[in-house]
């Protein structure tokens, strides 16, 4: 058959349909077997508090829910700046997030990690009460850190003025606090497991079990921008599903939890790992909703002038966690 350049053969339409079907089938196949969505997150401390997060990452729980998480250790202040600069999607800050929000940034906590202070105050043996610290030196990690806030709360409860009645010495980390106790440059310090074990082995005593006091505070929590939560709710939901399952595994499997904690904290000391697990397992909640009281504590210590009139609810969005709880997702996890 001779065709001019404007004539289409009858089978051309059928071929177009077939090719279109193949392309659509390929697209659907790619969707079914597609790459997991990407999400960038951090953990802000080498602490057993993050064991459920580490378990979710190492045991493929995020991948199970269609998410690939690029998880890195980044300190809170740096991570908050990365979040605001859009080079991080989810972070776990403390007071830095409140200060950013009070300055106009649209940031929000959307899940707790620890809604109360999980620390101890260790001291020289001769110190019997917090009141005995008058005229002495108390070691914490950094200005504005959870250890700093916890120290100030305890001193104020004892009728002492931080910085006036008791000098607060800022040290780089908890191992440095124990080293300062040993050296004699401080009289007491705020620490958590496993450095609590090191302190006892060095002859110091637990002056206050701060965890038992149940002080509401964002010891650690997940946060993001309101824009990210609005634009990527499926990714945040998948992140929460993986994390919630990580909590379930951490609470149920002590040996696996200690193994993961050992990997990230770079220790195989059985006593350290047992101390760490025993300390934090009681604080991992099945549904870690962000507590308004915990956020209020951060507001109480905020330096921004707007903190006085701010409400904790401005910095909380529990909607996705509540949605997962209502759906029965958490109950099903614990029935497995």
């Amino acid at each position: 058959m001779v065709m001019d350049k404007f004539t289409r053969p009858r089978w051309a339409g059928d071929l177009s349909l077939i090719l279109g079907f193949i392309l659509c089938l390929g697209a659907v196949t790619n969707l079914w077997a597609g790459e997991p969505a990407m999400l960038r997150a951090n953990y802000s401390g080498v602490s057993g508090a993050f064991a459920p997060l580490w378990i979710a990452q190492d045991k493929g729980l995020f991948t199970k829910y269609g998410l690939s998480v690029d998880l890195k250790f980044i300190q809170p202040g740096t991570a908050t700046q990365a979040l605001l600069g859009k080079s991080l999607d989810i972070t776990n800050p403390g007071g830095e997030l409140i200060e950013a929000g009070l300055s106009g940034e649209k940031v929000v906590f959307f899940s707790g990690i620890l809604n109360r202070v999980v620390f101890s105050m260790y001291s020289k043996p001769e110190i019997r009460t917090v009141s005995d610290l008058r005229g002495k030196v108390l070691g914490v990690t950094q200005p504005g850190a959870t250890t700093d806030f916890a120290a100030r709360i305890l001193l104020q409860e004892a009728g002492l003025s931080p910085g006036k009645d008791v000098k607060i010495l800022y040290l780089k980390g908890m191992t440095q606090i124990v080293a300062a106790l040993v050296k004699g440059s401080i009289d007491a310090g705020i620490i958590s497991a496993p450095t609590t074990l090191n302190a006892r082995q060095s002859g110091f005593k637990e002056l206050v079990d701060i965890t038992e006091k149940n002080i509401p505070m964002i010891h650690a929590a997940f946060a993001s921008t309101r824009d990210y939560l609005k634009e990527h709710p499926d990714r945040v939901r998948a992140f929460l599903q993986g994390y919630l399952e990580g909590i379930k595994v951490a609470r149920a499997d002590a040996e696996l939890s200690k193994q993961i904690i050992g990997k990230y904290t770079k220790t195989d000391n059985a006593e350290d790992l047992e101390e760490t697990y025993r300390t934090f397992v009681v604080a991992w909640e099945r549904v870690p909703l962000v507590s308004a009281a915990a956020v209020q504590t951060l507001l109480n210590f905020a330096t921004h002038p707007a903190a006085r009139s701010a409400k904790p609810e401005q910095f909380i969005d529990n909607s996705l966690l509540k949605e997962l709880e209502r759906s029965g997702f958490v109950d099903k996890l614990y029935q497995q």
Side-chain angles (χ1 to χ4, degrees):
M1 179 175 65
V2 179
M3 298 182 294
D4 63 38
K5 62 181 179 180
F6 300 105
T7 304
R8 297 177 66 210
R10 287 180 298 174
W11 45 263
D14 295 336
L15 180 59
S16 297
L17 289 173
I18 293 169
L19 289 173
F21 175 76
I22 292 172
L23 289 172
C24 288
L25 181 62
V28 171
T29 302
N30 288 337
L31 180 62
W32 287 338
E35 293 295 321
M38 286 294 300
L39 185 147
R40 300 161 300 176
N42 82 302
Y43 57 97
S44 60
V46 184
S47 163
F50 294 102
L53 176 64
W54 296 336
I55 288 170
Q57 179 75 343
D58 282 24
K59 295 303 175 182
L61 301 182
F62 292 128
T63 305
K64 175 180 176 180
Y65 296 103
L67 196 64
S68 176
V69 176
D70 179 13
L71 183 66
K72 297 177 180 177
F73 168 65
I74 307 174
Q75 292 185 340
T78 304
T80 299
Q81 291 304 312
L83 177 70
L84 299 178
K86 298 185 178 181
S87 58
L88 202 59
D89 304 316
I90 288 176
T91 183
N92 35 83
E96 307 88 0
L97 192 88
I98 296 294
E99 297 290 348
L102 292 170
S103 298
E105 299 290 350
K106 296 179 180 179
V107 288
V108 66
F109 292 110
F110 66 87
S111 171
I113 297 175
L114 299 176
N115 274 312
R116 57 177 167 145
V117 180
V118 185
F119 286 135
S120 289
M121 179 186 284
Y122 270 72
S123 70
K124 294 176 178 178
E126 61 267 25
I127 295 174
R128 294 176 296 176
T129 68
V130 176
S131 298
D132 292 340
L133 289 174
R134 185 182 297 274
K136 300 189 183 300
V137 183
L138 175 62
V140 301
T141 54
Q142 298 177 23
T146 314
T147 54
D148 187 20
F149 295 158
R152 293 174 184 276
I153 289 171
L154 292 180
L155 293 175
Q156 289 167 359
E157 285 181 349
L160 300 173
S161 176
K164 182 179 178 181
D165 296 324
V166 180
K167 179 181 178 180
I168 295 181
L169 184 62
Y170 296 107
L171 300 163
K172 187 176 180 181
M174 293 188 182
T175 55
Q176 287 82 0
I177 291 174
V178 175
L181 278 168
V182 172
K183 187 178 178 181
S185 53
I186 62 174
D187 301 284
I190 306 293
I191 56 177
S192 67
T195 48
T196 46
L197 177 63
N198 300 335
R200 286 200 305 276
Q201 291 173 339
S202 298
F204 301 99
K205 72 174 186 180
E206 185 179 57
L207 188 63
V208 182
D209 182 343
I210 307 174
T211 307
E212 283 192 352
K213 293 177 73 67
N214 205 29
I215 298 172
M217 187 192 301
I218 298 294
H219 186 127
F222 293 117
S224 189
T225 62
R226 289 193 179 276
D227 286 345
Y228 189 84
L229 295 184
K230 182 179 179 180
E231 294 167 9
H232 302 287
D234 291 344
R235 295 185 189 188
V236 180
R237 186 181 296 106
F239 179 85
L240 287 172
Q241 287 175 303
Y243 180 66
L244 290 171
E245 187 161 349
I247 293 174
K248 184 255 185 179
V249 173
R251 287 162 56 112
D253 193 334
E255 291 309 310
L256 173 62
S257 298
K258 287 186 280 188
Q259 176 188 335
I260 296 291
I261 291 169
K263 172 187 171 181
Y264 280 84
T265 61
K266 294 181 170 55
T267 182
D268 58 3
N269 184 291
E271 288 182 295
D272 281 357
L273 294 171
E274 179 61 31
E275 177 102 350
T276 302
Y277 182 75
R278 182 173 52 81
T279 297
F280 288 108
V281 68
V282 297
W284 294 323
E285 302 173 67
R286 279 174 44 131
V287 184
L289 297 169
V290 182
S291 158
V295 174
Q296 182 62 57
T297 301
L298 296 185
L299 280 170
N300 293 344
F301 286 103
T303 59
H304 196 286
R308 292 185 179 182
S309 59
K311 302 296 183 185
E313 290 77 13
Q314 295 172 223
F315 305 93
I316 300 172
D317 185 347
N318 281 320
S319 59
L320 288 174
L321 259 184
K322 288 181 176 179
E323 174 192 303
L324 287 170
E325 184 179 27
R326 286 194 303 269
S327 73
F329 174 81
V330 179
D331 288 338
K332 289 177 183 176
L333 282 179
Y334 286 83
Q335 291 168 3
Q336 295 174 5

